[in-house]
Amino acid sequence: MSAFRADAERVGALIAMARRHLAAGRSVDLSALEGRVRALCVMLAGNPPADGAERGEARALLGHLLQDLDGLERDLAARHGDPFPAPLRHQAARAFDILREGK
């Protein structure tokens, strides 16, 4: 679980950095973020939390990441008017659903 927590924190840091860059008027490359989200979801699918406490922690971490992704989506839309890359949020949302379903 500690590896998952560390990777989730890295994803959160990438989201925060992207939001800071957008706020400063700089361009943002989301490829690293997309790769990290994908890796996080693969990690979770391949090694789901063993017990309820770990599942709850993972669910909370993913919930925060989804909120952060929603904020990034709003920032991108305000800056560019472009829709947020759906696959990125979809991956994180699917991982959250897996945890919620207890699978």
Side-chain angles (χ1 to χ4, degrees):
M1 187 63 191
S2 62
F4 177 79
R5 183 183 312 108
D7 281 356
E9 289 172 359
R10 283 188 206 96
V11 169
L14 283 172
I15 295 168
M17 182 177 66
R19 294 187 77 185
R20 283 192 304 272
H21 282 216
L22 284 170
R26 290 180 275 186
S27 63
V28 176
D29 178 5
L30 296 177
S31 60
L33 178 58
E34 185 175 2
R36 288 285 188 173
V37 169
R38 184 178 300 116
L40 189 67
C41 294
V42 167
M43 178 191 299
L44 186 61
N47 188 20
D51 61 32
E54 285 186 356
R55 189 175 296 118
E57 180 182 358
R59 189 179 305 132
L61 288 168
L62 283 173
H64 289 296
L65 289 178
L66 287 172
Q67 289 175 350
D68 292 346
L69 286 169
D70 287 343
L72 179 57
E73 176 182 16
R74 287 188 300 273
D75 294 348
L76 284 166
R79 170 111 189 250
H80 299 291
D82 293 337
F84 188 67
L88 185 60
R89 190 183 193 293
H90 176 73
Q91 290 172 12
R94 181 62 189 132
F96 186 79
D97 289 343
I98 289 170
L99 286 172
R100 187 177 54 220
E101 295 164 3
K103 295 182 180 175

